[in-house]
Amino acid sequence: MDLAPDTERVLILDFGSQYAQLIARRVRELNVFCQIVRHDLPAERIAELKPRGIILSGGPASVYEPNAPRCDPKILELGVPILGICYGMQLTCQLLGGQVSSATAREYGRAICSVYTDDELFHGVSKETQVWMSHGDQVQTVQGDFLPLATTATCPIAAVKHRHRPVYGLQFHPEVSHTPEGSRILGNFLRTICGCAGLWKMSAFVEQAVAELRQRIGSARVICGLSGGVDSAVTAALLLRAVGPQLACIFVDNGLLRQGEVELVQATFRDWFQADLHTVDARERFLRALQGVTDPQQKRKIIGHVFIDVFRAEAASIRDAKFLAQGTLYPDVIESGGSVDGPAATIKTHHNVGGLPQELGFELIEPLRNLFKDEVRKLGAELGLPESLVWRHPFPGPGLAVRCLGAITPERLHVLRQADAIFLEELTKAGWYRQTSQAFAVLLPVQSVGVMGDGRTYENVIALRCVQTDDFMTADWSRLPLELLATVSTRISNEVKGVNRVVYDISSKPPATIEWE
């Protein structure tokens, strides 16, 4: 589905920047639709997409290297406003006659940028403003067609504009939070220079998505696999808005879910939305297959294979089903190279829901493939999903199997489920749940000595994990208040039979991963 208003599209040419997705998110926060595309996309294709503006991202290369990534220089002839950021600025200036070379003093981190012109790009921006630098090269000189706009102590040309073309460049990164006035600068580019009115809003997205889904699906039925997570829930809610009773939702209870998961999904989709919900109780089948297995990769494989068999059997009972809906998000599309005009490099392979094989014979529907995670949450709220579901932390596909280290038994899962529920409950009560990105308990495959009452105990150890992150590629452990951790530890030790020790994981990613297995 192409859900961009034709008059409000901005393209981001990706030169390998670690911030490319962040640029896109900042643009969309300003209610302008944007897409990340290959840096070498031909000018003819760009013209067909009718962008109101083009942003050239940063990147790790040097423009004067022989194999440095280049854009089609003809894009400079399209008359479309261009904003080059870091590498993008250097490349633009080089193409138009500027000189780029290694800086005598490289800049990484915060810097004070002096703006010495009231150009429309910097309208309303402080004359002395903090910016975030991350570059080893910089534009040293520009020809008479360029006008310098700003400078830092070690970067004489921190921003430029072309005198005759709508071409601008920033040596710093306006998209990061360390550039406090970056959103204002981007907003000036989008609204004043590109003429965007800001039409990218969730209400407009819902209206257009519903219309396109109805047209594609017709009178056929659609199957959506629910996991209890926000992505699949929002996918189902959007399809319910579009085709109502033509949607059948399959929710597999594998015995590895969080406490209250089944009840939440059933209350939301069966009771509230009146959806055709198929809840499959496969707990015994999964736990039987996992009996005695301790290797995490083997756990994942077993769970995947059993899930496919269970899902396939239930899907076969739904007559006239032609489509399978999947909660693919825009980062998945970007990282898998799944877009025709997407970045050239494939970072990872994206898999269908639960690893379902193509031979099931369904056509795939991915109504969220143009959205980022934060936009999916906004969409969920727009569609009327309960806040408790919209703001749920991510949950791994294998469920508690990768948080119950070692052998999986009903008894150990019960201990883990109780401890996890207490942790999340206390986080919520203290106002920390929405401030963190992912939090959970882990049951370790070790026991420790403790004292309870007058007796010696030899019981289980629970580890608590809580992180904060923007993209889940990197993450930092959350600095939770000691009083909160003390409350959680006391409650788990007192209320969860079989636990006598609670520890807190203070590892960041990297070197650790967010999940333990």
Side-chain angles (χ1 to χ4, degrees):
M1 291 187 296
D2 184 5
L3 300 173
D6 285 340
T7 58
E8 292 285 324
R9 189 196 308 265
V10 168
L11 298 180
I12 299 172
L13 272 59
D14 183 11
F15 290 91
S17 170
Q18 61 178 319
Y19 299 131
Q21 290 191 33
L22 187 54
I23 298 172
R25 290 177 60 189
R26 294 291 177 260
V27 171
R28 292 190 183 186
E29 286 171 2
L30 293 164
N31 296 324
V32 176
F33 181 80
C34 66
Q35 289 174 291
I36 300 175
V37 299
R38 300 193 321 263
H39 64 271
D40 58 351
L41 199 65
E44 293 79 6
R45 175 56 181 154
I46 290 177
E48 291 173 1
L49 294 172
K50 301 177 182 178
R52 292 298 295 266
I54 299 171
I55 298 176
L56 309 186
S57 82
S62 296
V63 294
Y64 48 80
E65 293 176 353
N67 297 320
R70 318 286 289 181
C71 63
D72 186 344
K74 293 180 182 178
I75 67 171
L76 300 171
E77 311 295 331
L78 295 177
V80 178
I82 292 175
L83 176 65
I85 296 176
C86 199
Y87 180 89
M89 168 181 165
Q90 297 161 15
L91 179 60
T92 302
C93 289
Q94 186 187 61
L95 290 173
L96 292 174
Q99 179 184 344
V100 180
S101 60
S102 296
T104 54
R106 299 188 175 193
E107 282 189 305
Y108 296 98
R110 293 177 177 84
I112 297 300
C113 181
S114 300
V115 181
Y116 44 74
T117 177
D118 194 26
D119 184 83
E120 53 194 0
L121 183 66
F122 288 97
H123 179 71
V125 176
S126 306
K127 295 301 180 184
E128 300 288 323
T129 185
Q130 178 183 294
V131 298
W132 183 261
M133 291 287 195
S134 180
H135 66 94
D137 299 333
Q138 62 187 28
V139 177
Q140 297 290 344
T141 61
V142 290
Q143 301 296 334
D145 285 341
F146 274 101
L147 176 66
L149 303 178
T151 185
T152 72
T154 58
C155 182
I157 306 176
V160 295
K161 69 172 291 187
H162 197 275
R163 294 180 185 274
H164 311 298
R165 305 172 189 250
V167 175
Y168 291 79
L170 299 173
Q171 186 57 68
F172 56 87
H173 290 273
E175 69 275 17
V176 302
S177 60
H178 305 303
T179 302
E181 296 187 274
S183 289
R184 183 182 295 275
I185 296 169
L186 286 173
N188 289 338
F189 175 73
L190 296 169
R191 292 203 167 89
T192 306
I193 297 170
C194 298
C196 295
L199 303 178
W200 175 248
K201 297 177 182 178
M202 272 305 134
S203 56
F205 175 90
V206 171
E207 183 178 342
Q208 189 174 355
V210 165
E212 293 196 16
L213 285 168
R214 286 174 178 167
Q215 181 178 8
R216 182 180 176 191
I217 294 169
S219 60
R221 298 206 71 190
V222 185
I223 295 175
C224 179
L226 290 175
S227 66
V230 63
D231 300 340
S232 65
V234 172
T235 299
L238 183 60
L239 283 161
L240 282 169
R241 177 75 64 91
V243 297
Q246 293 169 232
L247 176 69
C249 297
I250 297 177
F251 180 54
V252 177
D253 182 358
N254 58 13
L256 303 167
L257 303 174
R258 288 170 284 195
Q259 185 165 294
E261 191 110 48
V262 175
E263 293 78 9
L264 175 63
V265 171
Q266 289 181 336
T268 301
F269 288 96
R270 185 189 63 196
D271 303 338
W272 179 256
F273 284 111
Q274 301 294 306
D276 177 17
L277 177 62
H278 299 237
T279 301
V280 184
D281 185 353
R283 289 175 293 178
E284 289 188 12
R285 183 169 177 179
F286 277 89
L287 295 182
R288 188 168 56 249
L290 289 167
Q291 188 172 3
V293 178
T294 59
D295 179 76
Q297 284 303 101
Q298 189 65 18
K299 289 179 185 178
R300 291 176 183 272
K301 290 179 181 178
I302 290 171
I303 292 167
H305 290 149
V306 175
F307 178 86
I308 290 172
D309 291 341
V310 172
F311 194 96
R312 180 192 286 116
E314 189 62 30
S317 70
I318 301 171
R319 299 182 59 185
D320 302 321
K322 181 181 178 182
F323 299 97
L324 175 66
Q326 175 176 312
T328 306
L329 304 190
Y330 194 43
D332 298 322
V333 176
I334 296 168
E335 292 174 355
S336 64
S339 172
V340 173
D341 297 322
T346 297
I347 300 173
K348 68 179 182 182
T349 301
H350 180 67
H351 299 284
N352 290 348
V353 173
L356 288 175
Q358 294 180 352
E359 57 264 24
L360 281 180
F362 296 113
E363 289 185 34
L364 195 61
I365 286 182
E366 299 172 308
L368 309 183
R369 64 182 284 113
N370 280 318
L371 302 184
F372 287 100
K373 190 76 170 188
D374 52 342
E375 294 172 321
V376 171
R377 296 191 192 278
K378 292 178 183 176
L379 176 58
E382 182 79 21
L383 293 168
L385 287 171
E387 188 173 294
S388 58
L389 209 163
V390 169
W391 290 100
R392 295 199 90 185
H393 287 179
F395 190 58
L400 296 181
V402 292
R403 294 178 180 175
C404 184
L405 277 59
I408 297 173
T409 66
E411 295 75 22
R412 298 191 77 226
L413 287 171
H414 181 65
V415 168
L416 174 57
R417 205 173 271 119
Q418 286 183 296
D420 186 71
I422 290 172
F423 185 28
L424 299 185
E425 179 185 330
E426 291 298 330
L427 279 178
T428 302
K429 284 169 57 178
W432 272 89
Y433 187 82
R434 290 276 295 271
Q435 296 183 52
T436 56
S437 304
Q438 194 167 356
F440 53 91
V442 179
L443 179 60
L444 303 185
V446 296
Q447 292 182 307
S448 71
V449 174
V451 177
M452 286 187 173
D454 294 324
R456 176 184 183 275
T457 63
Y458 193 57
E459 302 286 9
N460 293 298
V461 179
I462 287 286
L464 304 178
R465 179 74 159 143
C466 189
V467 300
Q468 290 167 292
T469 177
D470 287 328
D471 54 15
F472 290 90
M473 301 298 290
T474 61
D476 195 15
W477 61 278
S478 299
R479 272 65 172 175
L480 298 179
L482 295 180
E483 296 80 5
L484 173 57
L485 290 172
T487 299
V488 174
S489 176
T490 299
R491 280 198 61 192
I492 291 176
S493 298
N494 288 343
E495 299 176 30
V496 182
K497 186 177 180 180
V499 175
N500 67 358
R501 190 178 299 270
V502 178
V503 299
Y504 187 54
D505 183 350
I506 60 170
S507 307
S508 295
K509 176 187 178 181
T513 56
I514 295 177
E515 296 288 346
W516 276 49
E517 284 191 344

